[in-house]
mmCIF file of all heavy atoms in Angstrom:
data_model
loop_
_atom_site.group_PDB
_atom_site.id
_atom_site.type_symbol
_atom_site.label_atom_id
_atom_site.label_comp_id
_atom_site.label_asym_id
_atom_site.label_seq_id
_atom_site.Cartn_x
_atom_site.Cartn_y
_atom_site.Cartn_z
ATOM 1 N N MET A 579 21.487 28.964 -87.130
ATOM 2 C CA MET A 579 22.444 29.400 -86.188
ATOM 3 C C MET A 579 23.021 28.179 -85.510
ATOM 4 O O MET A 579 22.357 27.091 -85.335
ATOM 5 C CB MET A 579 21.656 30.259 -85.124
ATOM 6 C CG MET A 579 22.554 30.825 -84.053
ATOM 7 S SD MET A 579 21.867 32.035 -82.945
ATOM 8 C CE MET A 579 20.185 31.941 -83.034
ATOM 9 N N LYS A 580 24.297 28.235 -85.115
ATOM 10 C CA LYS A 580 24.957 27.149 -84.484
ATOM 11 C C LYS A 580 24.832 27.411 -82.924
ATOM 12 O O LYS A 580 25.170 28.506 -82.487
ATOM 13 C CB LYS A 580 26.448 27.131 -84.834
ATOM 14 C CG LYS A 580 26.647 26.798 -86.273
ATOM 15 C CD LYS A 580 28.095 26.874 -86.627
ATOM 16 C CE LYS A 580 28.226 27.287 -88.047
ATOM 17 N NZ LYS A 580 29.420 28.180 -88.257
ATOM 18 N N VAL A 581 24.286 26.416 -82.208
ATOM 19 C CA VAL A 581 23.972 26.569 -80.840
ATOM 20 C C VAL A 581 24.601 25.447 -79.942
ATOM 21 O O VAL A 581 24.399 24.318 -80.251
ATOM 22 C CB VAL A 581 22.379 26.612 -80.603
ATOM 23 C CG1 VAL A 581 22.067 26.757 -79.160
ATOM 24 C CG2 VAL A 581 21.687 27.685 -81.529
ATOM 25 N N TYR A 582 25.276 25.900 -78.964
ATOM 26 C CA TYR A 582 25.790 24.951 -77.969
ATOM 27 C C TYR A 582 24.800 24.830 -76.832
ATOM 28 O O TYR A 582 24.127 25.785 -76.384
ATOM 29 C CB TYR A 582 27.115 25.543 -77.353
ATOM 30 C CG TYR A 582 27.714 24.747 -76.268
ATOM 31 C CD1 TYR A 582 28.610 23.668 -76.515
ATOM 32 C CD2 TYR A 582 27.455 25.086 -74.919
ATOM 33 C CE1 TYR A 582 29.115 22.947 -75.502
ATOM 34 C CE2 TYR A 582 28.021 24.373 -73.876
ATOM 35 C CZ TYR A 582 28.832 23.308 -74.173
ATOM 36 O OH TYR A 582 29.370 22.561 -73.125
ATOM 37 N N HIS A 609 18.359 25.011 -86.307
ATOM 38 C CA HIS A 609 19.655 25.262 -85.770
ATOM 39 C C HIS A 609 20.582 24.020 -85.853
ATOM 40 O O HIS A 609 20.101 22.846 -85.903
ATOM 41 C CB HIS A 609 19.566 25.637 -84.245
ATOM 42 C CG HIS A 609 18.742 26.830 -83.991
ATOM 43 N ND1 HIS A 609 19.117 28.089 -84.478
ATOM 44 C CD2 HIS A 609 17.608 27.038 -83.274
ATOM 45 C CE1 HIS A 609 18.201 28.978 -84.078
ATOM 46 N NE2 HIS A 609 17.290 28.355 -83.355
ATOM 47 N N THR A 610 21.891 24.302 -85.958
ATOM 48 C CA THR A 610 22.851 23.241 -85.899
ATOM 49 C C THR A 610 23.329 23.224 -84.411
ATOM 50 O O THR A 610 23.527 24.310 -83.809
ATOM 51 C CB THR A 610 24.035 23.590 -86.773
ATOM 52 O OG1 THR A 610 23.596 23.689 -88.115
ATOM 53 C CG2 THR A 610 25.127 22.538 -86.722
ATOM 54 N N MET A 633 33.973 24.134 -78.267
ATOM 55 C CA MET A 633 32.663 23.979 -78.901
ATOM 56 C C MET A 633 31.900 25.264 -78.939
ATOM 57 O O MET A 633 31.307 25.656 -79.908
ATOM 58 C CB MET A 633 31.824 22.857 -78.137
ATOM 59 C CG MET A 633 32.447 21.476 -78.285
ATOM 60 S SD MET A 633 31.657 20.242 -77.135
ATOM 61 C CE MET A 633 30.199 19.808 -78.096
ATOM 62 N N ILE A 634 31.948 26.015 -77.819
ATOM 63 C CA ILE A 634 31.225 27.331 -77.745
ATOM 64 C C ILE A 634 31.828 28.313 -78.755
ATOM 65 O O ILE A 634 31.201 29.040 -79.407
ATOM 66 C CB ILE A 634 31.298 27.914 -76.335
ATOM 67 C CG1 ILE A 634 30.412 27.052 -75.387
ATOM 68 C CG2 ILE A 634 30.924 29.384 -76.280
ATOM 69 C CD1 ILE A 634 30.638 27.383 -73.885
ATOM 70 N N ASP A 635 33.191 28.190 -78.919
ATOM 71 C CA ASP A 635 33.930 29.106 -79.825
ATOM 72 C C ASP A 635 33.376 29.030 -81.259
ATOM 73 O O ASP A 635 33.363 30.048 -81.934
ATOM 74 C CB ASP A 635 35.383 28.836 -79.879
ATOM 75 C CG ASP A 635 36.205 29.252 -78.688
ATOM 76 O OD1 ASP A 635 35.676 30.164 -77.940
ATOM 77 O OD2 ASP A 635 37.285 28.776 -78.427
ATOM 78 N N VAL A 636 32.858 27.849 -81.749
ATOM 79 C CA VAL A 636 32.445 27.733 -83.108
ATOM 80 C C VAL A 636 30.953 27.941 -83.233
ATOM 81 O O VAL A 636 30.413 27.801 -84.286
ATOM 82 C CB VAL A 636 32.870 26.355 -83.711
ATOM 83 C CG1 VAL A 636 34.392 26.258 -83.716
ATOM 84 C CG2 VAL A 636 32.282 25.194 -82.945
ATOM 85 N N CYS A 637 30.295 28.252 -82.108
ATOM 86 C CA CYS A 637 28.816 28.514 -82.102
ATOM 87 C C CYS A 637 28.532 29.950 -82.041
ATOM 88 O O CYS A 637 29.361 30.785 -81.620
ATOM 89 C CB CYS A 637 28.165 27.771 -80.941
ATOM 90 S SG CYS A 637 28.174 25.968 -81.127
ATOM 91 N N ASP A 638 27.243 30.288 -82.512
ATOM 92 C CA ASP A 638 26.794 31.637 -82.438
ATOM 93 C C ASP A 638 26.142 32.011 -81.114
ATOM 94 O O ASP A 638 26.110 33.144 -80.706
ATOM 95 C CB ASP A 638 25.721 31.862 -83.523
ATOM 96 C CG ASP A 638 26.308 31.477 -84.875
ATOM 97 O OD1 ASP A 638 27.272 32.117 -85.318
ATOM 98 O OD2 ASP A 638 25.665 30.627 -85.568
ATOM 99 N N ALA A 639 25.616 30.913 -80.415
ATOM 100 C CA ALA A 639 24.818 31.133 -79.193
ATOM 101 C C ALA A 639 24.952 29.962 -78.309
ATOM 102 O O ALA A 639 25.357 28.877 -78.696
ATOM 103 C CB ALA A 639 23.352 31.386 -79.532
ATOM 104 N N VAL A 640 24.591 30.107 -77.052
ATOM 105 C CA VAL A 640 24.521 29.025 -76.046
ATOM 106 C C VAL A 640 23.133 28.991 -75.519
ATOM 107 O O VAL A 640 22.559 30.050 -75.116
ATOM 108 C CB VAL A 640 25.567 29.245 -74.886
ATOM 109 C CG1 VAL A 640 25.472 28.127 -73.886
ATOM 110 C CG2 VAL A 640 27.003 29.277 -75.455
ATOM 111 N N ALA A 659 30.764 32.343 -72.419
ATOM 112 C CA ALA A 659 29.972 32.769 -73.587
ATOM 113 C C ALA A 659 29.641 34.291 -73.503
ATOM 114 O O ALA A 659 29.662 34.931 -74.600
ATOM 115 C CB ALA A 659 28.656 31.976 -73.629
ATOM 116 N N GLN A 662 32.701 36.159 -74.580
ATOM 117 C CA GLN A 662 32.882 35.995 -76.022
ATOM 118 C C GLN A 662 31.779 36.639 -76.878
ATOM 119 O O GLN A 662 31.811 36.510 -78.087
ATOM 120 C CB GLN A 662 33.049 34.548 -76.363
ATOM 121 C CG GLN A 662 34.236 33.850 -75.628
ATOM 122 C CD GLN A 662 35.543 34.439 -75.949
ATOM 123 O OE1 GLN A 662 35.875 34.709 -77.106
ATOM 124 N NE2 GLN A 662 36.305 34.670 -74.894
ATOM 125 N N ASN A 663 30.877 37.296 -76.188
ATOM 126 C CA ASN A 663 29.776 37.973 -76.938
ATOM 127 C C ASN A 663 28.910 36.965 -77.749
ATOM 128 O O ASN A 663 28.434 37.354 -78.810
ATOM 129 C CB ASN A 663 30.237 39.101 -77.803
ATOM 130 C CG ASN A 663 30.831 40.268 -77.025
ATOM 131 O OD1 ASN A 663 30.262 40.672 -76.034
ATOM 132 N ND2 ASN A 663 32.008 40.674 -77.375
ATOM 133 N N LYS A 664 28.701 35.827 -77.140
ATOM 134 C CA LYS A 664 27.749 34.838 -77.819
ATOM 135 C C LYS A 664 26.349 35.124 -77.416
ATOM 136 O O LYS A 664 26.110 35.692 -76.412
ATOM 137 C CB LYS A 664 28.104 33.418 -77.364
ATOM 138 C CG LYS A 664 29.523 32.962 -77.684
ATOM 139 C CD LYS A 664 29.795 32.892 -79.155
ATOM 140 C CE LYS A 664 31.232 32.406 -79.484
ATOM 141 N NZ LYS A 664 31.459 32.246 -80.941
ATOM 142 N N GLY A 665 25.437 34.777 -78.283
ATOM 143 C CA GLY A 665 24.032 34.900 -77.963
ATOM 144 C C GLY A 665 23.657 34.042 -76.802
ATOM 145 O O GLY A 665 24.261 32.887 -76.617
ATOM 146 N N LEU A 666 22.828 34.456 -75.898
ATOM 147 C CA LEU A 666 22.477 33.652 -74.718
ATOM 148 C C LEU A 666 20.947 33.379 -74.834
ATOM 149 O O LEU A 666 20.189 34.263 -74.885
ATOM 150 C CB LEU A 666 22.742 34.411 -73.448
ATOM 151 C CG LEU A 666 24.184 34.870 -73.328
ATOM 152 C CD1 LEU A 666 24.397 35.747 -72.029
ATOM 153 C CD2 LEU A 666 25.148 33.697 -73.235
ATOM 154 N N MET A 667 20.591 32.064 -74.793
ATOM 155 C CA MET A 667 19.203 31.649 -74.851
ATOM 156 C C MET A 667 18.956 30.795 -73.558
ATOM 157 O O MET A 667 19.812 30.061 -73.123
ATOM 158 C CB MET A 667 18.950 30.796 -76.119
ATOM 159 C CG MET A 667 19.448 31.482 -77.406
ATOM 160 S SD MET A 667 19.759 30.319 -78.756
ATOM 161 C CE MET A 667 18.165 29.654 -79.059
#
Side-chain angles (χ1 to χ4, degrees):
M579 182 170 20
K580 296 176 212 143
V581 181
Y582 175 87
H609 300 298
T610 302
M633 294 169 81
I634 291 170
D635 284 341
V636 299
C637 289
D638 304 303
V640 178
Q662 300 301 313
N663 294 313
K664 300 294 180 177
L666 304 175
M667 306 160 66

